[in-house]
Amino acid sequence: MIVADTAPRWIELDGAVNARDLGGIPLARGGTTVPGRLLRSDNLQDLSAADVAHLVGERSLTAVIDLRTDVELNLEGPSPMSEEPRVVVEHRSLYPEYGERTDLEVDTVVPWQRGLGGSDRPGESPTVQTYMGYLEHRPDSIIGALRTIAAPPGGGAALVHCAAGKDRTGLVVAMALEVAGARREAVVGDYVATAQRIEAIIARLASTPTYAGDITRHDPARHAPRPETMFRILQLLDEGHGGTSGWLREHGMQDAELEALGVKLTAA
């Protein structure tokens, strides 16, 4: 299994540890994705005023796609970016919503703690089943996120994030890069780049009541993304849907929208 060795374009921030620009990803037809169009990050709760100014001013950020659940949002509270008038923040959970929240538990326990949102696929790894659950349960959020990446409100860059910027973010970003025509190995290379910051990511999440209970005392490397996970997800999309674009078409994305997404990420 070969993974393209493309140096990540890290964005150094005071309040996030897994932020990077998705420019410079090699394309199968030659060339690379364009910087300043798509960013990814761990959660934005701790951004400093300088971070916000940098992202909005120097990175031309105009849209944030927050993939966290309503429970996470309620527990964590608003991020500094939500107070920035030049940025539109969209919330697009990748977990299913159940009921009307009539009891305390539903308001305070995130879905993965209840074992919700996965896909029943015998023989697949737990992580692959989780990612396929995102696709099965929340195609609306995935399609919405990709549409925003293609045409962000305000016309600037879009930033995708979840809690760690690893799993939910990893899937959405990989799908965007696939549509743009990135080399498969480069798509997986970006996904596993998060492993370079995994210790800082785990330390950050463990410091908050929302996520501390989910962070084990094992070596942080056990939380790192593995290339075989993303290779398998993309293989399943190939086998079952004719590729990422095929899956997106099946769930309502039009050819013109797919073309716009590719142009957004690749046209200088």
Side-chain angles (χ1 to χ4, degrees), residues 193-215:
T194 290
Q196 299 177 31
R197 299 286 177 98
I198 198 65
E199 291 188 7
I201 294 167
I202 296 306
R204 185 169 178 236
L205 294 179
S207 70
T208 68
T210 302
Y211 304 110
D214 294 316
I215 303 301

Short mmCIF file of all heavy atoms in Angstrom, two decimals, residues 193-215:
data_model
loop_
_atom_site.label_atom_id
_atom_site.label_comp_id
_atom_site.label_asym_id
_atom_site.label_seq_id
_atom_site.Cartn_x
_atom_site.Cartn_y
_atom_site.Cartn_z
N ALA A 193 -2.15 12.39 7.26
CA ALA A 193 -1.29 13.47 7.76
C ALA A 193 -1.67 13.89 9.17
O ALA A 193 -0.83 14.38 9.93
CB ALA A 193 -1.35 14.68 6.81
N THR A 194 -2.94 13.70 9.53
CA THR A 194 -3.38 14.03 10.89
C THR A 194 -2.56 13.28 11.94
O THR A 194 -2.41 13.76 13.07
CB THR A 194 -4.88 13.72 11.03
OG1 THR A 194 -5.61 14.67 10.25
CG2 THR A 194 -5.35 13.80 12.46
N ALA A 195 -2.03 12.12 11.59
CA ALA A 195 -1.23 11.35 12.54
C ALA A 195 -0.02 12.15 13.03
O ALA A 195 0.47 11.91 14.15
CB ALA A 195 -0.77 10.04 11.91
N GLN A 196 0.45 13.09 12.23
CA GLN A 196 1.60 13.90 12.64
C GLN A 196 1.28 14.78 13.84
O GLN A 196 2.20 15.22 14.54
CB GLN A 196 2.07 14.75 11.47
CG GLN A 196 2.53 13.96 10.26
CD GLN A 196 2.92 14.85 9.10
OE1 GLN A 196 3.39 15.98 9.29
NE2 GLN A 196 2.74 14.37 7.88
N ARG A 197 0.01 15.05 14.07
CA ARG A 197 -0.39 15.93 15.16
C ARG A 197 -1.25 15.20 16.20
O ARG A 197 -1.89 15.85 17.03
CB ARG A 197 -1.18 17.12 14.61
CG ARG A 197 -0.41 18.00 13.61
CD ARG A 197 0.62 18.85 14.32
NE ARG A 197 1.44 19.66 13.43
CZ ARG A 197 1.23 20.94 13.17
NH1 ARG A 197 0.18 21.58 13.69
NH2 ARG A 197 2.04 21.62 12.38
N ILE A 198 -1.25 13.87 16.18
CA ILE A 198 -2.21 13.13 16.98
C ILE A 198 -2.01 13.33 18.48
O ILE A 198 -2.99 13.39 19.25
CB ILE A 198 -2.21 11.62 16.62
CG1 ILE A 198 -3.48 10.94 17.12
CG2 ILE A 198 -0.94 10.93 17.11
CD1 ILE A 198 -4.74 11.42 16.46
N GLU A 199 -0.78 13.45 18.94
CA GLU A 199 -0.57 13.65 20.38
C GLU A 199 -1.18 14.97 20.84
O GLU A 199 -1.84 15.02 21.88
CB GLU A 199 0.92 13.59 20.70
CG GLU A 199 1.53 12.21 20.54
CD GLU A 199 2.96 12.15 21.05
OE1 GLU A 199 3.43 13.15 21.64
OE2 GLU A 199 3.60 11.11 20.87
N ALA A 200 -0.97 16.02 20.08
CA ALA A 200 -1.54 17.32 20.45
C ALA A 200 -3.06 17.30 20.35
O ALA A 200 -3.76 17.91 21.18
CB ALA A 200 -0.97 18.40 19.54
N ILE A 201 -3.61 16.59 19.36
CA ILE A 201 -5.06 16.48 19.21
C ILE A 201 -5.67 15.79 20.41
O ILE A 201 -6.65 16.26 21.01
CB ILE A 201 -5.42 15.71 17.92
CG1 ILE A 201 -4.99 16.51 16.68
CG2 ILE A 201 -6.91 15.41 17.87
CD1 ILE A 201 -5.01 15.69 15.40
N ILE A 202 -5.09 14.65 20.80
CA ILE A 202 -5.63 13.88 21.92
C ILE A 202 -5.51 14.67 23.21
O ILE A 202 -6.43 14.69 24.04
CB ILE A 202 -4.90 12.53 22.04
CG1 ILE A 202 -5.17 11.68 20.79
CG2 ILE A 202 -5.33 11.79 23.29
CD1 ILE A 202 -6.62 11.48 20.46
N ALA A 203 -4.40 15.35 23.41
CA ALA A 203 -4.23 16.16 24.63
C ALA A 203 -5.27 17.26 24.68
O ALA A 203 -5.83 17.56 25.75
CB ALA A 203 -2.82 16.75 24.66
N ARG A 204 -5.56 17.87 23.55
CA ARG A 204 -6.55 18.94 23.51
C ARG A 204 -7.95 18.41 23.84
O ARG A 204 -8.68 19.01 24.64
CB ARG A 204 -6.53 19.61 22.13
CG ARG A 204 -7.43 20.82 22.05
CD ARG A 204 -7.21 21.63 20.79
NE ARG A 204 -8.16 22.72 20.82
CZ ARG A 204 -9.04 22.99 19.88
NH1 ARG A 204 -9.08 22.25 18.78
NH2 ARG A 204 -9.89 23.99 20.00
N LEU A 205 -8.34 17.31 23.24
CA LEU A 205 -9.66 16.75 23.51
C LEU A 205 -9.78 16.25 24.95
O LEU A 205 -10.83 16.40 25.59
CB LEU A 205 -9.95 15.61 22.54
CG LEU A 205 -10.09 15.99 21.06
CD1 LEU A 205 -10.37 14.74 20.22
CD2 LEU A 205 -11.19 17.02 20.85
N ALA A 206 -8.71 15.66 25.46
CA ALA A 206 -8.76 15.13 26.83
C ALA A 206 -8.89 16.22 27.88
O ALA A 206 -9.28 15.94 29.01
CB ALA A 206 -7.49 14.31 27.10
N SER A 207 -8.60 17.46 27.49
CA SER A 207 -8.69 18.56 28.45
C SER A 207 -10.10 19.12 28.58
O SER A 207 -10.34 20.00 29.41
CB SER A 207 -7.74 19.69 28.03
OG SER A 207 -8.20 20.34 26.85
N THR A 208 -11.05 18.61 27.79
CA THR A 208 -12.41 19.13 27.83
C THR A 208 -13.37 18.07 28.35
O THR A 208 -13.25 16.89 28.00
CB THR A 208 -12.88 19.54 26.42
OG1 THR A 208 -13.02 18.39 25.60
CG2 THR A 208 -11.88 20.50 25.78
N PRO A 209 -14.34 18.44 29.17
CA PRO A 209 -15.31 17.47 29.70
C PRO A 209 -16.10 16.75 28.61
O PRO A 209 -16.47 15.59 28.78
CB PRO A 209 -16.23 18.32 30.58
CG PRO A 209 -15.43 19.52 30.94
CD PRO A 209 -14.55 19.78 29.76
N THR A 210 -16.34 17.41 27.49
CA THR A 210 -17.13 16.81 26.43
C THR A 210 -16.49 15.54 25.88
O THR A 210 -17.17 14.55 25.61
CB THR A 210 -17.33 17.81 25.27
OG1 THR A 210 -17.95 18.98 25.79
CG2 THR A 210 -18.18 17.21 24.17
N TYR A 211 -15.17 15.54 25.74
CA TYR A 211 -14.49 14.43 25.06
C TYR A 211 -13.58 13.62 25.97
O TYR A 211 -13.13 12.54 25.55
CB TYR A 211 -13.65 14.98 23.90
CG TYR A 211 -14.47 15.78 22.91
CD1 TYR A 211 -14.32 17.16 22.81
CD2 TYR A 211 -15.41 15.16 22.09
CE1 TYR A 211 -15.07 17.91 21.91
CE2 TYR A 211 -16.18 15.90 21.20
CZ TYR A 211 -16.01 17.27 21.12
OH TYR A 211 -16.76 18.00 20.23
N ALA A 212 -13.31 14.09 27.17
CA ALA A 212 -12.34 13.41 28.03
C ALA A 212 -12.71 11.95 28.26
O ALA A 212 -11.84 11.07 28.29
CB ALA A 212 -12.20 14.15 29.36
N GLY A 213 -14.00 11.66 28.41
CA GLY A 213 -14.41 10.30 28.67
C GLY A 213 -14.19 9.35 27.52
O GLY A 213 -14.17 8.13 27.70
N ASP A 214 -14.03 9.88 26.30
CA ASP A 214 -13.81 9.04 25.13
C ASP A 214 -12.33 8.83 24.83
O ASP A 214 -12.00 8.03 23.96
CB ASP A 214 -14.46 9.68 23.90
CG ASP A 214 -15.96 9.72 24.01
OD1 ASP A 214 -16.55 8.71 24.43
OD2 ASP A 214 -16.55 10.77 23.70
N ILE A 215 -11.47 9.55 25.51
CA ILE A 215 -10.04 9.45 25.25
C ILE A 215 -9.43 8.43 26.21
O ILE A 215 -9.43 8.61 27.42
CB ILE A 215 -9.34 10.82 25.43
CG1 ILE A 215 -9.98 11.85 24.50
CG2 ILE A 215 -7.85 10.69 25.16
CD1 ILE A 215 -9.91 11.50 23.04
#
